[in-house]
Amino acid sequence: MIQACEARVVLAPMVGLSHCATRMAMQEFLPKAVKSLWPTEMLSSRRLPYQSEEQTPEIFFRDRDRGLVPQLLGNEESFIRDSIKKLEDWGAEAIDINMGCPVKHVLQHNYGVALMGDGAYAKSVTEMAVRSTSRPVSVKLRAGLQSNFDFLLQFAKGLEEAGASWVTLHPRTAEQKRRGSADWSQIRRLKEQLKIPVVGNGDVQCKEDIHAMFSSTKCDRVMMGRALLAKPWLVGFGVEEAEKNFPQNPSEEAQLYGRFLLRALDFAEEFYVESWTLRKMKFLIYHSSPWLDYGHTLYANTCKAADTKQMRWQIEEFFKWNPLMRDRTDLRR
């Protein structure tokens, strides 16, 4: 499936952020005909079999026709099988297995990056998913529980042998979380050794970083997280029709970010109850505003909103100040 993905930059699956309203607002930066991969938030294989579509923001899939790739947490075959069947019915075009999340409550259930403690076990989990679907299965992973490339390589080869269609590497250890620097050399070395595509992730904040990652790692795609929420037009990197509309200076970038927030609010109001909309929008602004001059003020102002009408007013008023967008920030959230 990744070979059919024409977009060269893809959104990362992020808890509380990669939901339908965000995805659909970002999709407007790509021509409708351009194929991409659109991830969901992490979904629990233990809960999914008992849920109905649109029960929560995480399982709103109004964009099922754009290349939906739900990300699944799981380690037991019956739950994985039943979850994938439901996700297929809901329009999934591929399934991504999370082996990279370092959050404590995920690790307690032996999900996420905890699976990287045992290569054979992780391989078996991938095989469970592959057996459960005819659709592609990918795996998102970290550098591991320790900085040991030989272990990482053998681990990834096990996933390849298990039938993974591609892997995404965020080259930080579990302990690092988002601290320190991502070691892009591990992406390059993994790409050199695997037969399946490798997607690079980590420390990509601007157009120059995208160029640098492709150049230095030769990865097949670049995945961006929070920075792409601040600069959503970068999802069109390498797509000629999309790049024609890229902003030309920090002021234009900031204004386009503001319009993205308003479109996300439009979709959230359409899909979600007001309490969900306010919570999701505040979370989106919190994580995307560090690239914006006085972004903390935008966040503080929108936190005052008691309803979506006030939220919209606060966003519109803030961008009348003509703020600027930064290429990079060291502020980790």
Side-chain angles (χ1 to χ4, degrees):
M1 181 184 179
I2 202 165
Q3 287 86 349
C5 170
E6 299 166 86
R8 302 193 70 201
V9 171
V10 295
L11 177 67
M14 293 173 285
V15 174
L17 295 167
S18 302
H19 53 87
C20 190
T22 301
R23 294 193 304 265
M24 291 189 69
M26 189 171 291
Q27 285 160 10
E28 294 186 340
F29 290 91
L30 276 177
K32 185 76 172 177
V34 172
K35 300 294 184 182
S36 189
L37 307 176
W38 294 100
T40 68
E41 303 180 53
M42 290 189 306
L43 306 175
S44 169
S45 61
R46 285 185 169 271
R47 288 199 297 269
L48 264 175
Y50 312 105
Q51 292 180 302
S52 56
E53 189 182 2
E54 303 194 354
Q55 184 176 335
T56 68
E58 294 80 13
I59 50 177
F60 266 73
F61 299 139
R62 301 286 180 90
D63 57 337
R64 67 186 78 243
D65 62 333
R66 296 305 301 270
L68 188 67
V69 184
Q71 188 183 70
L72 198 60
L73 287 168
N75 56 19
E76 296 180 51
E77 186 153 12
S78 62
F79 290 113
I80 289 174
R81 182 187 61 244
D82 293 348
S83 294
I84 289 178
K85 173 62 169 65
K86 184 159 279 188
L87 291 169
E88 288 178 338
D89 292 343
W90 291 344
E93 294 191 20
I95 301 294
D96 185 60
I97 303 298
N98 184 308
M99 296 190 186
C101 180
V103 176
K104 185 176 180 180
H105 77 269
V106 171
L107 302 183
Q108 288 173 338
H109 296 284
N110 206 21
Y111 295 154
V113 79
L115 290 171
M116 294 197 70
D118 185 335
Y121 184 35
K123 180 179 179 180
S124 72
V125 169
T126 306
E127 289 170 338
M128 294 173 197
V130 171
R131 280 196 297 268
S132 300
T133 184
S134 60
R135 290 161 173 74
V137 173
S138 63
V139 181
K140 189 171 189 292
L141 60 154
R142 281 189 168 241
L145 303 177
Q146 64 285 312
S147 292
N148 183 335
F149 182 77
D150 290 337
F151 172 83
L152 174 63
L153 177 59
Q154 293 309 309
F155 184 93
K157 284 186 173 181
L159 303 179
E160 182 177 63
E161 292 167 4
S165 295
W166 72 88
V167 297
T168 299
L169 177 61
H170 181 163
R172 282 186 172 89
T173 63
E175 184 180 4
Q176 281 181 285
K177 295 186 178 178
R178 291 198 298 275
R179 298 186 299 272
S181 299
D183 182 4
W184 288 4
S185 70
Q186 295 192 34
I187 301 172
R188 173 182 54 78
R189 294 170 70 188
L190 207 61
K191 174 62 183 171
E192 290 170 350
Q193 295 289 330
L194 296 185
K195 298 174 184 176
I196 58 176
V198 174
V199 177
N201 177 221
D203 290 352
V204 180
Q205 299 194 45
C206 59
K207 188 174 181 179
E208 290 71 26
D209 292 343
I210 299 171
H211 280 293
M213 179 174 275
F214 275 124
S215 177
S216 65
T217 71
K218 310 304 179 186
C219 62
D220 295 275
R221 297 290 183 276
V222 167
M223 178 176 282
M224 292 180 65
R226 288 157 178 79
L228 191 57
L229 301 175
K231 304 165 187 178
W233 54 89
L234 290 177
V235 76
F237 174 92
V239 178
E240 184 177 358
E241 186 177 345
E243 287 201 350
K244 289 177 182 177
N245 297 316
F246 275 16
Q248 299 301 306
N249 56 61
S251 176
E252 289 185 9
E253 289 179 343
Q255 293 302 318
L256 199 51
Y257 166 62
R259 291 198 289 275
F260 165 70
L261 293 179
L262 291 172
R263 287 300 286 149
L265 179 56
D266 289 339
F267 288 118
E269 285 185 298
E270 178 182 347
F271 302 151
Y272 312 147
V273 298
E274 188 166 62
S275 60
W276 289 355
T277 295
L278 290 173
R279 185 168 69 247
K280 289 293 188 184
M281 287 302 302
K282 290 172 184 177
F283 199 62
L284 171 60
I285 293 167
Y286 176 76
H287 284 286
S288 58
S289 60
W291 284 267
L292 187 70
D293 278 352
Y294 303 102
H296 60 287
T297 301
L298 172 64
Y299 175 65
N301 290 350
T302 52
C303 280
K304 300 172 186 175
D307 54 38
T308 54
K309 183 178 180 180
Q310 290 180 19
M311 171 74 70
R312 185 177 300 277
W313 184 85
Q314 290 287 6
I315 294 171
E316 290 173 343
E317 286 299 303
F318 177 85
F319 284 94
K320 289 178 181 178
W321 300 354
N322 197 28
L324 303 178
M325 185 69 73
R326 307 169 191 150
D327 280 344
R328 298 178 181 86
T329 179
D330 292 327
L331 182 58
R332 308 281 190 181
R333 286 181 174 173

